[in-house]
Amino acid sequence: MGKIVLNQVTKSFGDTQVIPPLDLTIEDGEFTVFVGPSGCGKSTLLRLIAGLEDVSSGSIEIAGREATQLKPAQRELAMVFQSYALYPHMSVRKNIAFPLKMAKMDKAEIDRRVESAADILNLTDYLERRPGQLSGGQRQRVAIGRAIVREPSAFLFDEPLSNLDAALRVGMRLEISELHKRLSTTMIYVTHDQVEAMTMATKIVVLRAGVIEQVGSPLELYNTPRNRFVAGFIGSPKMNFIEGALAAEHDAHCIGIRPEHIDVSATEGSIQGTINVSEHLGSDTFFHVNCEALNTTLTVRVDGEVGFNRGDTVFLTPKSDLIHRFDEQGLRL
Amino acid sequence: MATQHSRTAARAMMAPAVVLLLGWMLVPLIMTLYFSFKKYLPLRGGDLGWVGFDNYVRFVSSSSFWPSVQTTLLIVGAVLVITIALGVLLALLLDQPMFGQGIVRILVIAPFFVMPTVSALIWKNMFMDANYGLFAYLWEFFGAEPVAWMSQASIQSIIMIVSWQWLPFATLILLTAIQSLDSEQLEASEMDGATTLKRFWHIVLPHLSRAITVVLLIQTIFLLSIFAEIFVTTGGAFGSKTLTYLIFQRVLESQNVGLGSAGGVYAIILANIVAIFLMRIVGKNLDK
Ligand SMILES: Nc1ncnc2c1ncn2[C@@H]1O[C@H](COP(=O)(O)OP(=O)(O)OP(=O)(O)O)[C@@H](O)[C@H]1O
Ligand SMILES: [Mg+2]
């Protein structure tokens, strides 16, 4: 029902091509996350799907229908904007009811749907307030409410959580995931936060400069990144990359080791270094270890409290079966 | 932190400005009140003593009084409606990206810089003259009888001229308001299935309500006292006499300062009634 297919889609603003020819299939019911650095075209891609921008060439198919020329309203998609885009002069109830009113639905049905959306999103007590009288998280929920009442074939989210504080973000992340489970409608979610991507997605699309670098499940991307860009982008803290002699030992131009795949010891190991900075997060500790022999700094992640401090000399041993190897072009070997 | 001392000093320093402004406002007001209770005919005997409320009674019982109040309200109301309706449309238009936007915007604002006397004269002679005005040619071109604007449609003419002068002001304020509308709101409503017309009605117009309120208030203040446009066109004839103009005639043409002053006090009362009325409507709007 909510399958979305992009076929050789491109987008140019004037002379600059922001999206080179791109193919992508999003299956019905999938929670797809677009991630990538700022300016890589995530929002543009989402807006192309929504119909808020016209494609320069190529075609878009939504729910089995050719949708390239359809107006946004006819595509039966709902979008949640980064700024929420609530209508400030309308009460929460009117905001949520707006798309239904535009669809000329009858009054009783509108009321029923608004009540049930408010119930799902814990907004029942706020229905008569205006958006200006709500907190950021509540506004976000109203925006989601306005999207779900229409029962669209897919939801589009453009960085919906970026205006919220860290604690609220975690809460809303869970709520959106639960909503997806409950509605099992296709969702496309744009973020530049790879933690959001990893925790929510069933499928992640990594973009760089409008090009899809890799598509896959979160763990596929984590375990077998197709190239150095994806390897560096997915995972926190970032993967360590080592070039030169050590890489050559593994028959590669460059090797990548995730911080959590390195053992630390005070006495023995393959790489010697000094702890430059240590970050204690309670459950984890990150060491930034200066390795003179490799002429680089490696990030290492260890459990909780370990007896090392800044300035200590330590020995690092990468887990050999978890080393990623890349060639000159940065492609996985 | 303001101490007792510094507060006293602040008051002392502000005093000259406050006194000056107060004097500026109070002196004419008190003089108007003073003369309104006197029989004062500068060329026919000067100050002829106190007459109580005589002037007030005479001013209202004059046959020109109620028509002049009506004319005033008609002109103010019509100009407000025209400038706000056209102002919203023009602002929407100017908000669209187009070639030569900067120049077009300056041109639209230009009428506001023309002095009322000048613009009224230009309209009267260049456009509305029944013999050689541009409108006369236009009417003749379509085979119609040219209109003698000043005599046959005096109020309409004045409304047209004044609207032309104030349209730029309304457009400018409404344009800045439209530009401050969040484009994501429009996009959201587009996705919600609102047509262009519905988007205008449900999103753009409510967003503009504050700006419209401001335009309404400011214009009313100035429109209640328009004078030059009438003076140089109809000279108050053909039913185009407003309250302001009537007062002018009483004071200068009939040389009756007392009677004119009483009219001035009525004008103050009318302005306040209109202001209270507007504030009521508008206050609701500004609270949101
Ligand atoms: N209307 C436009 N006109 C010209 N260029 C545009 C326009 N909109 C976007 N771009 C360009 O397209 C590129 C992609 O923009 P886009 O907004 O899709 O990035 P993004 O991935 O969403 O970034 P962010 O994470 O910062 O939101 C950027 O280089 C941007 O400058
Ligand atoms: Mg973006």
Side-chain angles (χ1 to χ4, degrees), chain B residues 108-167:
Chain B
V108 167
I109 296 158
F112 203 49
F113 299 124
V114 180
M115 284 167 279
T117 328
V118 175
S119 78
L121 279 174
I122 289 176
W123 272 89
K124 179 187 176 188
N125 295 316
M126 222 170 102
F127 290 102
M128 293 173 162
D129 192 280
N131 298 315
Y132 48 85
L134 286 178
F135 285 168
Y137 285 111
L138 194 68
W139 259 244
E140 269 168 11
F141 180 79
F142 287 107
E145 183 81 5
V147 182
W149 288 92
M150 291 310 144
S151 50
Q152 288 172 5
S154 50
I155 294 189
Q156 289 91 321
S157 307
I158 289 168
I159 289 173
M160 206 143 84
I161 295 169
V162 177
S163 299
W164 182 78
Q165 276 169 12
W166 282 93
L167 184 56

Side-chain angles (χ1 to χ4, degrees), chain A residues 47 81 83 87 89 150, chain B residues 184 187 189 191-192 198 202:
Chain A
R47 292 166 58 85
F81 292 83
S83 68
Y87 311 129
H89 52 278
R150 297 172 52 196
Chain B
E184 285 198 347
E187 287 175 346
S189 62
M191 295 213 63
D192 284 346
K198 289 226 168 106
H202 290 289

Side-chain angles (χ1 to χ4, degrees), chain A residues 47 50 52 72-73 77-79 81-90 98-99 101-102 104 130 146 150 156, chain B residues 181-196 198-199 201-207 209 288:
Chain A
R47 292 166 58 85
L52 295 171
L77 304 173
M79 184 150 167
F81 292 83
Q82 183 172 359
S83 68
Y84 316 138
L86 299 178
Y87 311 129
H89 52 278
M90 297 183 201
F98 189 75
K101 203 171 137 197
M102 290 300 114
K104 301 205 168 65
R130 295 194 175 225
R146 196 173 62 185
R150 297 172 52 196
L156 311 176
Chain B
L181 177 57
D182 179 13
S183 65
E184 285 198 347
Q185 261 180 50
L186 283 178
E187 287 175 346
S189 62
E190 199 178 339
M191 295 213 63
D192 284 346
T195 57
T196 313
K198 289 226 168 106
R199 274 210 297 281
W201 186 252
H202 290 289
I203 313 293
V204 179
L205 213 53
H207 176 76
S209 62
K288 284 179 197 166

Side-chain angles (χ1 to χ4, degrees), chain A residues 12-270:
Chain A
S12 307
F13 291 110
D15 289 338
T16 45
Q17 191 171 49
V18 178
I19 311 266
L22 176 146
D23 289 305
L24 179 66
T25 304
I26 294 159
E27 298 294 339
D28 183 28
E30 259 181 349
F31 196 121
T32 304
V33 174
F34 294 169
V35 280
S38 189
C40 69
K42 306 179 293 288
S43 299
T44 307
L45 196 55
L46 198 72
R47 292 166 58 85
L48 287 174
I49 296 173
L52 295 171
E53 304 275 3
D54 294 325
V55 296
S56 301
S57 71
S59 66
I60 298 175
E61 195 182 289
I62 297 170
R65 275 195 307 165
E66 169 62 35
T68 320
Q69 302 302 329
L70 290 185
K71 292 216 173 75
Q74 297 165 327
R75 300 192 181 196
E76 286 170 9
L77 304 173
M79 184 150 167
V80 175
F81 292 83
Q82 183 172 359
S83 68
Y84 316 138
L86 299 178
Y87 311 129
H89 52 278
M90 297 183 201
S91 65
V92 169
R93 180 189 296 279
K94 291 213 172 116
N95 261 285
I96 297 179
F98 189 75
L100 304 179
K101 203 171 137 197
M102 290 300 114
K104 301 205 168 65
M105 201 172 273
D106 70 72
K107 190 109 187 24
E109 174 68 7
I110 290 181
D111 283 344
R112 195 191 61 75
R113 288 209 195 181
V114 171
E115 300 289 344
S116 99
D119 196 40
I120 294 175
L121 296 163
N122 285 326
L123 285 171
T124 315
D125 295 341
Y126 308 104
L127 278 177
E128 304 314 323
R129 291 212 201 164
R130 295 194 175 225
Q133 300 163 318
L134 298 178
S135 73
Q138 289 163 345
R139 279 181 219 183
Q140 184 61 67
R141 284 207 286 270
V142 176
I144 294 174
R146 196 173 62 185
I148 63 177
V149 281
R150 297 172 52 196
E151 300 177 356
S153 52
F155 291 99
L156 311 176
F157 294 91
D158 192 356
E159 308 206 22
L161 306 186
S162 57
N163 287 342
L164 303 180
D165 69 52
L168 204 53
R169 204 143 61 202
V170 176
M172 285 304 295
R173 211 160 74 194
L174 277 174
E175 280 187 40
I176 295 178
S177 293
E178 271 168 24
L179 194 71
H180 178 245
K181 279 214 192 73
R182 183 168 180 160
L183 304 173
S184 55
T185 311
T186 313
M187 292 193 177
I188 305 179
Y189 188 103
V190 165
T191 178
H192 55 243
D193 180 350
Q194 59 90 29
V195 179
E196 271 175 32
M198 293 295 283
T199 50
M200 300 169 84
T202 53
K203 177 153 108 186
I204 297 182
V205 177
V206 183
L207 288 164
R208 174 167 59 166
V211 178
I212 296 182
E213 293 287 332
Q214 189 169 1
V215 179
S217 72
L219 284 182
E220 258 169 61
L221 264 58
Y222 179 83
N223 292 327
T224 53
R226 214 164 61 93
N227 56 31
R228 261 182 82 165
F229 177 78
V230 177
F233 200 81
I234 301 291
S236 166
K238 244 168 85 89
M239 185 186 274
N240 298 297
F241 292 107
I242 305 167
E243 293 181 3
L246 191 62
E249 275 177 35
H250 291 86
D251 287 331
H253 173 71
C254 168
I255 57 171
I257 314 153
R258 295 201 183 276
E260 52 272 41
H261 297 153
I262 299 176
D263 289 329
V264 187
S265 153
T267 49
E268 56 189 334
S270 53

Side-chain angles (χ1 to χ4, degrees), chain B:
Chain B
M1 267 253 319
T3 61
Q4 186 66 41
H5 202 75
S6 71
R7 239 178 286 155
T8 319
R11 278 201 197 121
M13 294 203 188
M14 280 196 313
V18 172
V19 168
L20 195 71
L21 276 175
L22 214 64
W24 196 267
M25 201 185 76
L26 282 181
V27 169
L29 183 66
I30 289 171
M31 277 175 71
T32 308
L33 279 171
Y34 172 79
F35 283 122
S36 71
F37 291 107
K38 289 208 128 177
K39 190 173 173 80
Y40 187 66
L41 309 166
L43 296 182
R44 287 170 283 156
D47 192 346
L48 300 175
W50 299 98
V51 291
F53 281 92
D54 241 27
N55 286 325
Y56 287 90
V57 176
R58 274 186 61 197
F59 196 88
V60 252
S61 52
S62 140
S63 63
S64 340
F65 177 71
W66 284 112
S68 76
V69 172
Q70 275 173 13
T71 309
T72 309
L73 294 180
L74 181 66
I75 291 179
V76 171
V79 172
L80 285 178
V81 170
I82 293 173
T83 49
I84 288 173
L86 291 184
V88 170
L89 290 180
L90 260 181
L92 284 173
L93 210 64
L94 289 177
D95 189 42
Q96 307 298 317
M98 60 179 160
F99 179 74
Q101 202 166 36
I103 291 179
V104 171
R105 282 186 189 168
I106 290 175
L107 285 179
V108 167
I109 296 158
F112 203 49
F113 299 124
V114 180
M115 284 167 279
T117 328
V118 175
S119 78
L121 279 174
I122 289 176
W123 272 89
K124 179 187 176 188
N125 295 316
M126 222 170 102
F127 290 102
M128 293 173 162
D129 192 280
N131 298 315
Y132 48 85
L134 286 178
F135 285 168
Y137 285 111
L138 194 68
W139 259 244
E140 269 168 11
F141 180 79
F142 287 107
E145 183 81 5
V147 182
W149 288 92
M150 291 310 144
S151 50
Q152 288 172 5
S154 50
I155 294 189
Q156 289 91 321
S157 307
I158 289 168
I159 289 173
M160 206 143 84
I161 295 169
V162 177
S163 299
W164 182 78
Q165 276 169 12
W166 282 93
L167 184 56
F169 173 77
T171 307
L172 201 64
I173 296 210
L174 294 171
L175 177 62
T176 53
I178 284 187
Q179 284 171 337
S180 74
L181 177 57
D182 179 13
S183 65
E184 285 198 347
Q185 261 180 50
L186 283 178
E187 287 175 346
S189 62
E190 199 178 339
M191 295 213 63
D192 284 346
T195 57
T196 313
L197 217 59
K198 289 226 168 106
R199 274 210 297 281
F200 173 74
W201 186 252
H202 290 289
I203 313 293
V204 179
L205 213 53
H207 176 76
L208 288 183
S209 62
R210 268 170 193 238
I212 290 177
T213 305
V214 170
V215 172
L216 208 71
L217 274 180
I218 294 181
Q219 284 200 19
T220 307
I221 294 169
F222 285 93
L223 291 178
L224 277 172
S225 60
I226 50 163
F227 174 77
E229 294 85 343
I230 301 172
F231 184 72
V232 301
T233 54
T234 63
F238 312 112
S240 64
K241 200 183 294 172
T242 60
L243 191 54
T244 319
Y245 204 86
L246 183 65
I247 295 165
F248 160 77
Q249 284 186 332
R250 291 287 182 263
V251 175
L252 272 130
E253 289 175 8
S254 335
Q255 288 288 327
N256 191 337
V257 174
L259 193 58
S261 297
V265 175
Y266 281 121
I268 295 171
I269 295 170
L270 178 72
N272 276 292
I273 292 174
V274 174
I276 289 170
F277 192 66
L278 279 177
M279 282 306 216
R280 272 283 173 84
I281 316 175
V282 161
K284 266 192 237 144
N285 245 323
L286 286 182
D287 277 347
K288 284 179 197 166

